[in-house]
Amino acid sequence: MWTQYAARGLCRLLPLRCALCGEATDPGARHAMFCEPCDARLTFRAAETHLIGDVRVTTPHVFSGAVRHALHELKFRGNTPLARPLGEALGFALGNVPAGRVWLVPVPLHWRRRWVRGHDQAAALALVAARARPGFRARRVLRRRRPTTSQVGLGSEARGANVRNAFAVRWRYREALAGARVVVVDDVATTGATLKAARDALLRVGVRAVTLAAVAAVLPGSVALARELGDDVSAER
Ligand SMILES: [Zn+2]
């Protein structure tokens, strides 16, 4: 009994901290886990479609500032509460996807990498984004056939070769996917090579329409910059 009181007392003493910047937060805010400025920066503003490499990618954000920091925290530091605002923004950005049943399919990690990392950021983002509309459902339809080497520091051609044929549709989903509408979901779109490889795997089993989506797009010009800075978040895997 006393432990409950002690725990409650401790919660009052320790102010809640923003999961992104560490500032004290208002417990009554929309996302009590973020301070207001961070919440505003992570919130959906407008859906944009960017030409990344030779594919069109729908995103709510550009890869910079707080969004870039948040994606880094989610992916490499296991800061999983960040999947919520980022996934919600992604869900809103998919407002133009025609109504009806839509599969939200995360770009898969190789099981070994997932095991080491302990979480799968694209799957978490797809789950949150799927709450945006009744017809959406998130399913881990794709599997990675082999672990691809990290994309960090590779040029776009090398990236393409690295991920080509890297994905396959799991057997149990093949029939259900024929004629379906799918949105492929990833955290960051850098060269489009990973999303394109995922799309190709889906088209091979007869999926009717594929939309490519990511929480943030690395815009042309900043790809080189991101690489120069050794920014590992810009790696698609
Ligand atoms: Zn903050």
Side-chain angles (χ1 to χ4, degrees), residues 60-61 70-71 74-75 79-91 94 104-107 119-132 136 138 140 185-188 213-216 237:
H61 294 299
L71 283 165
L74 172 65
K75 187 168 188 168
N79 193 343
T80 49
L82 288 166
R84 197 163 125 193
L86 296 170
E88 279 177 0
L90 184 66
L94 295 172
L104 266 55
V105 173
V107 168
H119 66 102
D120 180 338
Q121 73 282 356
L125 292 165
L127 264 182
V128 177
R131 291 186 214 138
F136 284 173
R140 284 214 286 249
V185 170
D186 208 354
D187 49 359
V188 184
V215 169
R237 262 320 164 283

Side-chain angles (χ1 to χ4, degrees), residues 54-75:
D54 54 359
V55 291
R56 299 212 159 266
V57 183
T58 300
T59 66
H61 294 299
V62 166
F63 184 67
S64 67
V67 170
R68 170 181 167 160
H69 181 196
L71 283 165
H72 196 281
E73 285 282 308
L74 172 65
K75 187 168 188 168

